[in-house]
Amino acid sequence: MTTAIPRTGTAGAGSKPFYSSFGFQVLAAMVIGLVLGWVARNMGPVAPGQPNWLTVTLSTTGSIFVQLLQALVPPLIFTAIVASISNLRQLSNAAALVWQTLLWFAITAFIAVLIGIALGLLIQPGINAGVAAASAKAPGNVGSWLDFLKGLVPANMFGLQATTRVEGSGATTRLGFNVLQLLVISIVVGVAALKVGERANSFLALNESFLAIVRKVLWWVIRLTPIGTIGLLGNAVAQYGWQTLEQLSWYAFAIYLGLAIVLLLVYPALLVLHGLSPARFFAGAWPAIQLAFVSRSSIGTLPVTEAVTEKSLGVPREYAAFAVPLGATTKMDGCAAIYPAISAIFVAQFYGVPLGIQEYVLIAFVSVIGSAATAGLTGATVMLTLTLSTLGLPLAGVGLLLAIDPILDMGRTAVNVAGQALVPTLVAKRQGLLDQAQYDRAGDIEAIDATPRAA
């Protein structure tokens, strides 16, 4: 069954009022979250180190929403990747799709890192910083190429890993999924199922049924996005406020300017070059971009990104189910291109370390090749430490930037997710697979259901 998506802004006898639109509800939730966050911050803590009830409520609401999304991501990645590899055999150009996807991941990352380097040199945020060197400290999570390579090899068949944190006199151990390892496992199982042939048909049918169930449950969680948005954005304002930007204002300005150039100039230019309307792209991808901004998680946004890519932007299910999860783990123009490029230049300028053409080439290389380290390890901080260690710059410089990292992470993740929807759209267009009619009526996610389109 094909789900119809109405044109945005179309009036008619059967049209719903604007306030019932999913997009409007998320925007309204962002405003409410900002207001409640401001109120919570001005209320102040009950006692030193003890937040007030409103801050606790906002934090708990946002955390529960992200946990719900993240809990369903592992089964979604596994079932979607296995199903997409199975479905790719129905496409005569499967190999071309895979290579073009990886190529455009690299092309857009390379463009983004060049923009980051240029802004770092023009704005010189490290020279204009008002932060004291005494606040610098080495980060807890440090990335290395050895860790990245080891992270590719699954330690167990479920991609599970344990992390232990020592705080005071106690230690806390938590189990979680290594997304990159889970991706490797899913690809291997999918390819193996194809090689087995008819004997794997029952397994693939079961996988398809499980995928449909996971999609439906995910859709129920996605409908909670406005509530989650209030908690996530409100907590960010309550915890960090905006005054922390003052000392690193030039650095923050450079990051957000770079993100804006990529999102509002580079991506639209690529769409126009492929004969696609940028306005339609953003109308279709906007729900995922919104959620990415407030949740600060490409993985948590994955269900929405996949839904809008397939059902708003017209990318075939067989391809979108492969490209989007792959992009959510390895395609990060914000966290792995703009951010490490400007941040590395900031650290070099702050400590008075001169950089030559060789160092700038290394920045570009690490950003294009090492993006997957962000998923295989832990976040953009690890990607930055990987860049700094490759360049031989002081890792303590990361400590200067941690104070405003949550605020920057909102914009970084939004650009990440926009790129994760953009590349499959461009590749589908280049390969003649894009549903142009579906793309041309891209609009609100309201009409998108978790049930896959008919192939």
Side-chain angles (χ1 to χ4, degrees):
M1 177 179 178
T2 303
T3 305
I5 302 178
R7 294 180 182 271
T8 304
T10 301
S15 61
K16 295 182 179 180
F18 72 93
Y19 52 80
S20 68
S21 160
F22 183 87
F24 175 81
Q25 291 170 3
V26 174
L27 284 175
M30 293 175 71
V31 174
I32 295 172
L34 287 171
V35 172
L36 291 180
W38 178 81
V39 172
R41 186 165 183 83
N42 282 276
M43 287 173 61
V46 176
Q50 184 179 352
N52 59 63
W53 68 269
L54 182 54
T55 301
V56 172
T57 301
L58 293 170
S59 175
T60 303
T61 302
S63 297
I64 290 174
F65 175 67
V66 172
Q67 285 178 357
L68 286 173
L69 283 174
Q70 292 179 338
L72 291 168
V73 163
L76 174 66
I77 290 179
F78 180 82
T79 54
I81 290 292
V82 171
S84 64
I85 290 177
S86 173
N87 291 330
L88 280 176
R89 62 183 173 180
Q90 302 173 16
L91 302 173
S92 58
N93 56 346
L97 286 172
V98 173
W99 286 112
Q100 287 234 0
T101 301
L102 296 176
L103 175 63
W104 279 97
F105 280 180
I107 290 173
T108 51
F110 184 68
I111 295 172
V113 74
L114 290 182
I115 292 172
I117 292 173
L119 290 176
L121 294 175
L122 289 173
I123 297 176
Q124 297 185 322
I127 296 176
N128 298 315
V131 64
S135 61
K137 61 180 180 179
N141 294 319
V142 178
S144 71
W145 289 106
L146 181 60
D147 290 333
F148 170 58
L149 294 175
K150 288 168 61 179
L152 284 171
V153 181
N156 54 76
M157 65 178 295
F158 301 108
L160 284 170
Q161 63 179 12
T163 55
T164 301
R165 173 179 293 181
V166 179
E167 295 180 348
S169 59
T172 304
T173 300
R174 186 176 64 177
L175 284 177
F177 286 93
N178 184 308
V179 177
L180 192 59
Q181 290 184 6
L182 188 59
L183 182 68
V184 171
I185 293 169
S186 305
I187 293 174
V188 171
V189 171
V191 173
L194 290 184
K195 294 296 183 181
V196 168
E198 293 184 1
R199 289 176 294 174
N201 287 345
S202 298
F203 166 75
L204 293 176
L206 175 64
N207 183 75
E208 284 278 1
S209 298
F210 190 30
L211 175 58
I213 294 171
V214 171
R215 284 174 178 265
K216 178 58 69 175
V217 176
L218 282 171
W219 180 248
W220 294 340
V221 175
I222 290 168
R223 296 301 302 164
L224 300 175
T225 297
I227 298 175
T229 298
I230 294 174
L232 290 165
L233 197 56
N235 181 61
V237 175
Q239 291 288 336
Y240 306 104
W242 301 107
Q243 65 268 30
T244 50
L245 288 170
E246 183 178 355
Q247 291 181 317
L248 294 168
S249 57
W250 282 105
Y251 168 72
F253 171 72
I255 294 288
Y256 265 96
L257 178 60
L259 296 174
I261 291 173
V262 171
L263 183 65
L264 302 178
L265 295 179
V266 174
Y267 288 172
L270 292 174
L271 289 165
V272 170
L273 289 174
H274 286 80
L276 296 172
S277 165
R280 290 299 181 188
F281 172 80
F282 285 110
W286 188 244
I289 297 173
Q290 281 180 320
L291 178 58
F293 183 83
V294 296
S295 70
R296 297 167 46 205
S297 172
S298 293
I299 297 298
T301 311
L302 173 59
V304 182
T305 310
E306 186 175 352
V308 299
T309 302
E310 176 190 340
K311 297 183 179 180
S312 275
L313 302 178
V315 178
R317 173 168 58 94
E318 295 84 358
Y319 172 52
F322 172 80
V324 176
L326 180 65
T329 58
T330 61
K331 174 60 183 165
M332 301 189 182
D333 290 341
C335 289
I338 291 289
Y339 174 69
I342 295 178
S343 299
I345 294 174
F346 171 91
V347 172
Q349 292 172 347
F350 186 84
Y351 286 101
V353 179
L355 297 179
I357 186 65
Q358 178 181 351
E359 283 74 26
Y360 295 124
V361 171
L362 279 176
I363 292 175
F365 173 80
V366 174
S367 298
V368 174
I369 304 298
S371 298
T374 308
L377 298 168
T378 311
T381 300
V382 173
M383 181 64 193
L384 176 56
T385 59
L386 178 63
T387 306
L388 295 181
S389 61
T390 302
L391 296 172
L393 294 173
L395 293 180
V398 178
L400 298 168
L401 311 177
L402 292 179
I404 62 170
D405 189 72
I407 297 173
L408 301 180
D409 199 28
M410 296 178 181
R412 291 193 312 240
T413 309
V415 172
N416 291 344
V417 168
Q420 292 156 17
L422 174 83
V423 170
T425 303
L426 297 181
V427 173
K429 175 67 174 181
R430 294 174 67 87
Q431 295 295 312
L433 299 175
L434 190 70
D435 185 340
Q436 190 69 49
Q438 188 77 20
Y439 183 93
D440 289 340
R441 61 176 182 267
D444 193 74
I445 197 176
E446 181 68 25
I448 299 177
D449 182 271
T451 306
R453 289 186 309 177

